[in-house]
Amino acid sequence: LLFVAQDFGFDAKKYELIEYDYLVQVKDWQGIIAKAEQKTPDLPMSMSATNLALAMTNQLGERAFEFYQRGSEGLLPKFERNFATTLLTGEIYFYLGLVNTAQRFAFEAMEAIHNYNKSARAVKRLAETNLINGRYEVARKYLQILEKTIFYRPWAQRTMALLGDEQAINDHPLYGWLRKVRLTDDFLFSEQELDKICGQLFMHNQHNQMAVQYLLMAPLLERNIPTFMQYVKVVQNRVNYNPRHCQEAIAFAFMQKGQQPPQGFVNQLVLQQMSEFARTYSSGGKDAPGLEKFRNTLWYYLVNDQ
């Protein structure tokens, strides 16, 4: 038998993004992290999915720089009028607590479908956002559509039982939580103002861990240490949140001033690593031998701006 190799035009990057999108859809946060650990994501969509998974498991402030990062678009991709990117961006807004914005992105995603078909996944999100907002008749309309599908029918039937049941919705692990953290007033904002959006979410509900993580990570990914220091003071006055990358940023900020951080703000081990990083970097800049051992730190990210 003679086998002839043939190029069928397999686009590995495209299928990788499809897999990330699927894992986000089924909320397999550990699966996303495991995939990123095997091959670090390098596109805005896959980076955003990884950072979302880290935030949903409360690990963003501890592990963000174990993976490739490229500015704050790794937290929220720039708006593109295509189905996959719009859906993923809507997922991020949804879990942050911007329910109305997530609803708008579900509409945008369906408008981006080339053949003008409807998406059952987007319709499901529209049912969820209206359920959370208490617009039960609108939610019922979408659930009735989903009841006629094969894959979403069981979910639609289960969710139909929630309509009008305030106690059941408030007790729901996701919908009840989003009712507590969502912003009910609509306002205009730019995707470049992610930190300000997260600041509003945090001030509205200081138990919104995802908003806290995104609020503090956004300026770090933009290498804006002064802005981070403003935010971290507000956060630490209200909640106990001081993960490794925040401590690295605080240590770096005080080192630039030739000062030591206040007692208890930074772990002693982090201070020792900061001193070692500074000595190594001063011996040869970002090409200094031995600097690679700090690859998973904020400091390495700050001095490598490619």
Side-chain angles (χ1 to χ4, degrees):
L1 292 176
L2 177 64
F3 293 94
V4 179
Q6 184 174 353
D7 182 5
F8 290 98
F10 177 77
D11 189 335
K13 287 284 187 185
K14 180 182 292 185
Y15 280 91
E16 179 181 305
L17 294 179
I18 290 172
E19 184 175 355
Y20 270 109
D21 180 58
Y22 169 76
L23 293 171
V24 169
Q25 181 183 0
V26 298
K27 306 179 183 65
D28 187 356
W29 311 124
Q30 296 297 344
I32 293 171
I33 295 169
K35 181 175 175 61
E37 288 172 340
Q38 292 176 355
K39 179 179 179 292
T40 189
D42 57 2
L43 295 175
M45 186 172 164
S46 52
M47 284 188 291
S48 297
T50 301
N51 287 329
L52 172 62
L54 290 172
M56 292 299 293
T57 54
N58 202 28
Q59 298 183 75
L60 187 62
E62 294 284 348
R63 301 189 59 192
F65 296 106
E66 292 181 23
F67 307 96
Y68 176 73
Q69 301 289 348
R70 188 177 60 195
S72 59
E73 68 177 286
L75 295 177
L76 194 70
K78 293 180 180 178
F79 178 77
E80 296 179 18
R81 197 174 180 81
N82 67 67
F83 181 71
T85 305
T86 305
L87 272 182
L88 177 61
T89 305
E91 297 276 3
I92 297 168
Y93 281 125
F94 186 69
Y95 290 112
L96 275 170
L98 292 166
V99 174
N100 291 346
T101 303
Q103 180 170 288
R104 178 169 62 83
F105 270 73
F107 278 115
E108 292 281 359
M110 283 202 291
E111 288 299 314
I113 298 175
H114 295 300
N115 59 7
Y116 304 108
N117 282 345
K118 300 303 178 185
S119 161
R121 177 179 171 187
V123 171
K124 178 186 177 185
R125 178 50 45 82
L126 293 173
E128 290 178 310
T129 56
N130 281 285
L131 181 73
I132 292 166
N133 285 333
R135 301 182 65 196
Y136 299 127
E137 289 309 309
V138 179
R140 187 188 306 277
K141 177 185 71 173
Y142 293 121
L143 291 172
Q144 287 172 340
I145 294 172
L146 293 175
E147 279 186 319
K148 299 175 183 177
T149 66
I150 296 174
F151 297 109
Y152 288 87
R153 177 180 173 83
W155 178 85
Q157 290 176 331
R158 291 195 307 272
T159 307
M160 192 75 78
L162 294 177
L163 294 178
D165 191 338
E166 292 291 310
Q167 189 60 49
I169 298 171
N170 291 335
D171 290 341
H172 191 280
L174 177 59
Y175 305 149
W177 170 248
L178 287 173
R179 277 193 165 185
K180 294 177 182 177
V181 302
R182 66 188 171 131
L183 295 178
T184 55
D185 294 330
D186 287 329
F187 55 92
L188 296 174
F189 62 85
S190 165
E191 61 191 18
Q192 280 79 39
E193 298 176 318
L194 177 62
D195 54 344
K196 295 179 176 61
I197 301 167
C198 291
Q200 289 198 39
L201 288 163
F202 172 67
M203 297 306 292
H204 174 69
N205 189 314
Q206 294 167 16
H207 297 291
N208 189 339
Q209 288 190 331
M210 185 168 165
V212 174
Q213 293 174 84
Y214 273 50
L215 171 65
L216 295 181
M217 189 54 61
L220 293 185
L221 290 176
E222 293 296 332
R223 298 179 173 85
N224 191 335
I225 298 298
T227 296
F228 165 82
M229 291 300 289
Q230 293 176 13
Y231 294 166
V232 79
K233 290 175 184 176
V234 174
V235 169
Q236 292 186 346
N237 282 336
R238 290 167 172 79
V239 296
N240 181 23
Y241 181 74
N242 193 22
R244 179 166 67 96
H245 293 320
C246 287
Q247 294 185 44
E248 290 170 350
I250 294 169
F252 184 85
F254 278 91
M255 184 203 69
Q256 287 182 312
K257 299 177 183 178
Q259 301 173 357
Q260 286 291 318
Q263 189 72 24
F265 270 64
V266 179
N267 185 285
Q268 192 61 39
L269 178 60
V270 173
L271 290 174
Q272 293 171 0
Q273 292 174 334
M274 175 80 246
S275 298
E276 184 180 351
F277 173 84
R279 287 195 300 270
T280 305
Y281 184 76
S282 63
S283 69
K286 62 183 181 181
D287 297 319
L291 200 68
E292 188 75 13
K293 66 182 284 188
F294 299 98
R295 173 172 286 277
N296 294 344
T297 68
L298 167 69
W299 311 314
Y300 189 90
Y301 175 79
L302 291 175
V303 301
N304 285 271
D305 55 2
Q306 69 271 18

